[in-house]
Amino acid sequence: MRWALVKVSLAVTAMVVVAFAVPLGLVIKEMARDRAFSNAERWAATIGPTLSITTDRDSLDRAVQTTEVGIEGRMAVHVPASGERGSLPLEIGRRRAAQQDLETTRRIGRASISEVTGGFALLQPTAVASGKIAVVEVFVPEDDVSNGVATAWLVLAGVGIALIVGSVAVADRLGVRMVQPAQRLAGAAHDLGEGRLGVRVPEEGPTELRSAAVAFNSMADQVVQLLANERELAADLSHRLRTPLTVLRLNAASLGEGPAAEQTRAAVEQLEREVDTIIRTARDQRSQTQGAVGPGPGAGCDVSEVVRERMDFWSALAEDEGRKVRLAGVERPVRIPVARPELAAALDALLGNVFRHTPVGTAFSVDVHNGDDAVIVLVSDAGPGISDPQAALVRGNSGGRDGSTGLGLDIVRRVAESTGGDVRIGHSVLGGTEVRIWIGLGLDGRRAAGDRGGHRLGRRKRGTGAGKRAADVKL
């Protein structure tokens, strides 16, 4: 592309130079010729007054010698015979023109130019006192006719070459300016195809290439985002397997002793290790660019219904382990902008953590508080708590819990943040951990962080009423 642009520029500039330089050179040549013959006519006119007065040789000879061309021997005067008896033609100076040219000039009565050896002869007819026509001849050398023409041609050639070189240099720079961004774009596309997802293109160069770079960078970001979401989905789906695995592990623990029971427990442990491996592999391969896709328009569910459903699921395990459960705030329907499977996965992650990381017999509770523009779901337990609550909210961090992949709380966090809410971990009134899920009711998911303080006050006020409605249930 670069050399093509240079070739085009060279061809166009060469044509422009030829189109202007050649006619200009011809004009200069013609101007030099006209200048030379105009000077010759002026010198020939200086003899006219003398010829109109006298045809005396001495007088004419003195008049010729007073001119520059006469001194140089380039002027001649041809006076025909007067017609009187004994009169002869008068020739002053050296004649170069042919006699026939002189006769022709006398006959036509106007100046003419004849080509002679070494140059040209200007023949100027002039009337004399006898009524005859004398001819004044001025010799114009070839050098005078072409004086300055060669220099002018050299100057034009130099200017033309300079224009061509300059245009080629400019075209080369423009080509580099266009080619380099295109090469970088092509190289980045190749690198992206090779799997180097961090490659980006500088958004510079001509407008079209800048637009292409912007589009490429946007496409690369989208690819990274899609891969990150895919890997997160793989990890999250694998994490959801832990819920039935927890049930299976607890059921296997109640099988008693024997080879079959031991094999079942070993198989469950191996299955848990495989799921953990899948989760960690997906987590380790995730891209640096992460993001979550919120629910689409119209997505949502009844949080009370989902909480009741999941508590029914976990009731068998809670009864087997002798856990007391307190459930409150689920008497009335409460719509939230979260898809039902996402909310169920978040609740299963929290409840599964309670069964997995607290001793058998530890009580827990689930409270739902409905506000004007937010819904709060509290999951509390009476266990030992989390040693580092802040670290536990970071994806891939267990917060100090052994045997945890750290993805459960991340699932909960992403569900809350998709609505403009958040997740916080603190100490519960039961003495253990309290996980608060703040779910915003605005469908656009945008809420001012400063507005949440008022809702925290409202939550504490409503919590008192919720406590009165709560029922302690031994499931």
Side-chain angles (χ1 to χ4, degrees):
M1 180 179 178
R2 174 183 175 185
W3 294 114
L5 184 61
V6 170
K7 290 179 181 178
V8 171
S9 176
L10 177 62
V12 172
T13 306
M15 288 189 295
V16 172
V17 168
V18 170
F20 282 92
V22 172
L24 186 59
L26 295 176
V27 170
I28 292 174
K29 181 179 179 181
E30 190 66 25
M31 290 175 62
R33 177 186 176 89
D34 292 342
R35 182 179 64 250
F37 288 115
S38 295
N39 292 334
E41 289 179 356
R42 188 175 68 254
W43 290 118
T46 60
I47 305 300
T50 303
L51 285 173
S52 63
I53 297 173
T54 179
T55 57
D56 180 66
R57 175 182 289 276
D58 293 337
S59 299
L60 293 176
D61 189 60
R62 284 195 299 271
V64 169
Q65 293 301 316
T66 57
T67 63
E68 181 179 343
V69 293
I71 296 174
E72 295 175 355
R74 296 193 289 117
M75 177 180 284
V77 179
H78 310 285
V79 181
S82 60
E84 297 178 357
R85 182 179 293 183
S87 63
L88 298 173
L90 179 61
E91 297 283 342
I92 299 175
R94 177 186 173 186
R95 180 172 65 84
R96 293 178 173 81
Q99 184 63 36
Q100 182 179 358
D101 294 335
L102 295 176
E103 295 298 332
T104 302
T105 301
R106 289 192 181 99
R107 186 176 66 255
I108 63 179
R110 64 174 181 271
S112 63
I113 298 173
S114 65
E115 188 173 353
V116 297
T117 303
F120 300 89
L122 173 68
L123 305 177
Q124 178 68 48
T126 304
V128 296
S130 62
K132 299 294 184 178
I133 301 297
V135 178
V136 179
E137 176 186 343
V138 179
F139 174 67
V140 181
E142 181 68 30
D143 292 342
D144 287 357
V145 175
S146 60
N147 184 29
V149 175
T151 302
W153 276 101
L154 289 176
V155 171
L156 290 175
V159 172
I161 293 173
L163 287 175
I164 292 175
V165 172
S167 66
V168 169
V170 172
D172 182 70
R173 291 297 89 197
L174 290 175
V176 169
R177 185 170 176 264
M178 294 178 62
V179 169
Q180 285 183 347
Q183 290 176 341
R184 286 195 294 267
L185 183 60
H190 181 269
D191 291 342
L192 186 63
E194 293 291 331
R196 290 183 281 274
L197 302 180
V199 64
R200 295 296 183 271
V201 181
E203 297 173 3
E204 58 187 19
T207 304
E208 293 78 6
L209 291 177
R210 285 202 303 271
S211 300
V214 171
F216 176 85
N217 292 338
S218 177
M219 178 193 69
D221 292 338
Q222 290 292 328
V223 170
V224 170
Q225 184 67 51
L226 290 175
L227 288 176
N229 290 342
E230 180 183 356
R231 288 164 180 164
E232 286 185 355
L233 180 60
D236 294 346
L237 291 177
S238 300
H239 189 276
R240 294 183 187 184
L241 293 177
R242 302 194 105 189
T243 298
L245 279 177
T246 300
V247 178
L248 186 59
R249 177 174 59 82
L250 295 175
N251 289 335
S254 63
L255 293 177
E257 302 297 332
E262 292 298 329
Q263 291 178 0
T264 302
R265 283 190 286 267
V268 171
E269 291 177 358
Q270 182 180 0
L271 185 57
E272 283 187 329
R273 287 194 298 271
E274 293 297 333
V275 170
D276 290 344
T277 301
I278 294 174
I279 294 173
R280 291 191 177 93
T281 301
R283 183 189 65 199
D284 293 339
Q285 291 180 349
R286 74 183 186 274
S287 173
Q288 294 298 323
T289 304
Q290 295 182 342
V293 178
C301 67
D302 179 1
V303 64
S304 299
E305 180 183 355
V306 176
V307 170
R308 289 195 301 268
E309 177 186 320
R310 299 321 299 161
M311 288 303 296
D312 289 340
F313 173 82
W314 290 96
S315 62
L317 290 178
E319 183 177 357
D320 290 342
E321 295 189 355
R323 297 176 182 266
K324 288 185 178 182
V325 178
R326 185 171 69 100
L327 182 61
V330 296
E331 296 83 6
R332 294 180 300 172
V334 179
R335 296 292 301 180
I336 59 172
V338 176
R340 184 187 187 91
E342 299 299 326
L343 180 60
L347 290 173
D348 284 341
L350 293 179
L351 296 175
N353 284 342
V354 171
F355 282 86
R356 190 176 299 110
H357 300 294
T358 61
V360 174
T362 301
F364 66 94
S365 66
V366 178
D367 298 284
V368 177
H369 303 286
N370 183 19
D372 294 335
D373 59 355
V375 172
I376 299 174
V377 179
L378 296 176
V379 178
S380 308
D381 63 61
I386 298 177
S387 59
D388 191 350
Q390 294 299 324
L393 291 174
V394 179
R395 181 179 177 87
N397 196 330
S398 65
R401 288 176 170 177
D402 295 333
S404 174
T405 60
L407 291 182
L409 288 176
D410 182 71
I411 295 174
V412 179
R413 177 184 57 81
R414 290 194 294 113
V415 168
E417 290 181 352
S418 68
T419 66
D422 61 11
V423 174
R424 296 187 182 183
I425 299 177
H427 296 287
S428 71
V429 295
L430 299 179
T433 302
E434 176 186 87
V435 180
R436 189 205 67 177
I437 311 174
W438 187 292
I439 301 175
L441 296 182
L443 293 181
D444 58 357
R446 293 173 294 181
R447 301 180 62 251
D451 294 341
R452 294 178 183 171
H455 292 292
R456 282 195 292 272
L457 294 175
R459 177 176 65 84
R460 286 194 292 267
K461 293 177 181 179
R462 288 189 298 269
T464 303
K468 294 179 179 179
R469 294 191 305 268
D472 292 336
V473 182
K474 176 80 181 310
L475 298 179

